[in-house]
Amino acid sequence: MKFEWYLALRYFKGSRKSSGFLSFIKYMSIAGIAVGSAGLLIALSIVHGFKSTINGKIMDFAPHISISTYTQKPLERADTLFTYLDRYPEIESKQVVIEGQVMIQTKDQVTGTSLKGVDIEKPEFGVGNYITEGEYDLKRDSTGMPGIVLGKQLAQQLQAEIGSVITVYTIEGIPSLVNSPEIKQFRLTGIYETGIDLFDDVFAMVDRNYARQLFKYRDNQADAIEIRLKDDTEILAFHDKLNESIIFPYYNQSIYTVFGNIFAWVELQENMIPLVISGMIIVAAFNLIGAILMMVLERTRDIGVLKTIGSKSKMIRRIFLVEGLMVAGVGLIIGISISLLFYFLQVNYQIIPLSQENYYMAYAPVEPHAIDFVIVTLVTIVLSALASWFPARVAANTDPVKVISFGR
């Protein structure tokens, strides 16, 4: 072991009986770096978890691209457009959708909602991964009644349970004797919950054929064609590509356009929170200046002796620089350990619950990234080295003649 490392380690341990206050300052510096690094790593893991969870729910539930018309009228020749899309290898799956506003009723409650007619065999579009009660089944049951799937909040508003009879009716214009509503009854087979009100409180899903009957659409009419891509990172590029071939009155919207406000909110959280929390590390690093200066004052006579026996200023500077890095290293190890402990507790015991109505999830998600640990470690070490350099320079420039008699 090099002499300066050996001496720095001895100073770091603080074996002198008279160095109690100095040890307290040192421990506070370690605690400051530990809390700062742990706070930043925990904040980063939470915002990454928020982003992944919310983005994942939207990507799972909503189509990556939807094609519809600028007018209020339905798509004509939707079957032809559907076949035309076969030329794009980027598309993983697609479906024709019929959607409109309806009144939906149980024996106890009634409310308005959006009825969505979808492919009967494609639960991957929307709710397949989020069924919490029953199952995704839109087929007819043994009584001949077709199935319907509702969001959890919508089901609660209707006081509906699995097996409840749901009556759906729609009407155009003003009701009259000659303009009666189209009515259809369904059996509630599944309830889904994403945690996002925009999804759970809005949609009722049925077989597209029954939606076509309710809205009086012809076989080749639809409201939209929903597309899912093989690679969701190519959504914007494919959106631009599709714009070049889809002509008026058709137009396509990407998921980033439809849910732009949610994506923007998530990005804001991810960008701003780490900047705010990182101030804790900066403050802790600057506190290290005071701690090392106190160590220099405590070791003033040692510095004089070292210089008298021929030690160079460079070596003395390294001693206190290494001691500052030891303080930072111990604090960093403790901070990383705290963040990993938090990750374990949050994943297994959900120690931080959230309001699902406001945050779209029942507890704070955590997703630590290895790159965050690398960056936080490097930044902490660099800041601590810079903070230790000034007091180390003061120690190196100390006049040995004056310090030997210091305190007499």
Side-chain angles (χ1 to χ4, degrees):
M1 181 184 293
K2 289 186 177 181
F3 178 69
E4 52 262 45
W5 280 85
Y6 170 77
L7 206 55
L9 183 60
R10 293 270 299 182
Y11 287 166
F12 177 76
K13 290 180 179 179
S15 56
R16 290 184 182 178
K17 295 180 180 180
S18 60
S19 60
F21 180 72
L22 182 61
S23 297
F24 173 77
I25 296 296
K26 180 176 61 183
Y27 293 147
M28 291 303 295
S29 298
I30 292 173
I33 292 174
V35 171
S37 57
L40 182 54
L41 288 170
I42 290 171
L44 286 169
S45 67
I46 289 177
V47 294
H48 291 326
F50 266 110
K51 182 176 182 179
S52 295
T53 302
I54 294 175
N55 288 5
K57 288 181 178 182
I58 296 175
M59 288 293 181
D60 284 347
F61 190 92
H64 296 162
I65 303 286
S66 61
I67 302 175
S68 55
T69 67
Y70 286 101
T71 67
Q72 297 296 321
K73 296 181 179 180
L75 285 170
E76 299 291 345
R77 303 299 304 172
D79 52 347
T80 302
L81 180 58
F82 187 84
T83 304
Y84 171 81
L85 294 172
D86 289 339
R87 66 176 61 192
Y88 294 103
E90 299 93 335
I91 296 177
E92 179 181 51
S93 56
K94 56 188 185 296
Q95 70 170 350
V96 175
V97 171
I98 296 173
E99 186 175 350
Q101 299 301 308
V102 298
M103 296 301 295
I104 186 169
Q105 181 179 3
T106 60
K107 63 179 181 178
D108 298 312
Q109 299 290 332
V110 61
T111 188
T113 190
S114 179
L115 185 73
K116 189 173 184 180
V118 297
D119 282 351
I120 196 170
E121 299 292 349
K122 290 190 176 180
E124 70 270 16
F125 267 95
V127 301
N129 297 326
Y130 296 98
I131 297 294
T132 56
E133 297 180 46
E135 59 182 342
Y136 185 94
D137 184 6
L138 306 181
K139 303 183 187 72
R140 289 178 176 270
D141 62 12
S142 58
T143 66
M145 193 174 292
I148 187 172
V149 174
L150 304 179
K152 182 176 181 178
Q153 293 189 29
L154 183 58
Q156 288 177 344
Q157 290 179 33
L158 295 169
Q159 299 179 13
E161 300 176 348
I162 298 299
S164 297
V165 174
I166 308 294
T167 303
V168 176
Y169 51 95
T170 180
I171 188 170
E172 293 184 10
I174 300 174
S176 66
L177 292 176
V178 295
N179 187 23
S180 58
E182 294 291 326
I183 301 175
K184 184 69 180 177
Q185 287 190 319
F186 299 86
R187 183 84 64 187
L188 181 57
T189 58
I191 296 174
Y192 68 88
E193 181 182 15
T194 65
I196 300 178
D197 292 349
L198 189 61
F199 301 148
D200 297 349
D201 193 28
V202 174
F203 293 109
M205 299 190 178
V206 299
D207 180 359
R208 184 174 58 240
N209 291 324
Y210 298 114
R212 179 176 287 115
Q213 295 172 16
L214 285 165
F215 295 115
K216 301 179 181 178
Y217 279 19
R218 296 191 300 274
D219 289 344
N220 60 356
Q221 288 182 320
D223 287 298
I225 294 178
E226 296 183 342
I227 299 170
R228 295 188 70 84
L229 304 182
K230 295 175 182 177
D231 184 359
D232 59 19
T233 63
E234 298 295 325
I235 292 175
L236 293 178
F238 184 75
H239 172 264
D240 294 336
K241 180 179 180 179
L242 205 56
N243 269 338
E244 297 175 359
S245 57
I246 301 296
I247 60 174
F248 185 86
Y250 303 135
Y251 79 102
N252 71 91
Q253 283 185 305
S254 74
I255 193 172
Y256 296 111
T257 301
V258 178
F259 302 103
N261 58 333
I262 298 180
F263 286 113
W265 175 74
V266 172
E267 289 294 331
L268 179 65
Q269 299 292 318
E270 188 175 40
N271 293 333
M272 292 303 299
I273 290 179
L275 290 177
V276 175
I277 301 298
S278 60
M280 297 171 65
I281 290 183
I282 296 174
V283 171
F286 277 99
N287 285 340
L288 193 58
I289 294 176
I292 301 299
L293 278 174
M294 293 288 293
M295 294 174 190
V296 170
L297 292 175
E298 177 75 15
R299 312 297 179 185
T300 304
R301 298 194 63 180
D302 292 0
I303 294 169
V305 171
L306 289 170
K307 284 211 164 187
T308 302
I309 63 176
S311 299
K312 295 182 179 180
S313 297
K314 185 185 296 185
M315 188 192 76
I316 294 173
R317 186 163 53 244
R318 280 201 297 265
I319 290 172
F320 290 96
L321 187 60
V322 168
E323 188 174 6
L325 291 177
M326 286 181 178
V327 171
V330 172
L332 193 57
I333 291 171
I334 295 173
I336 291 174
S337 301
I338 292 172
S339 68
L340 293 175
L341 176 62
F342 171 81
Y343 171 72
F344 172 79
L345 293 175
Q346 183 64 16
V347 168
N348 292 281
Y349 302 104
Q350 291 83 49
I351 59 176
I352 301 182
L354 296 175
S355 169
Q356 189 157 291
E357 295 178 357
N358 298 321
Y359 294 97
Y360 308 142
M361 57 200 75
Y363 58 90
V366 285
E367 185 181 302
H369 291 181
I371 188 64
D372 293 336
F373 288 85
V374 174
I375 292 174
V376 170
T377 299
L378 291 177
V379 169
T380 302
I381 294 298
V382 169
L383 287 175
S384 299
L386 292 174
S388 302
W389 181 84
F390 175 73
R393 186 170 179 273
V394 171
N397 294 334
T398 302
D399 186 348
V401 176
K402 292 181 179 180
V403 300
I404 290 177
S405 60
F406 180 76
R408 291 185 180 178

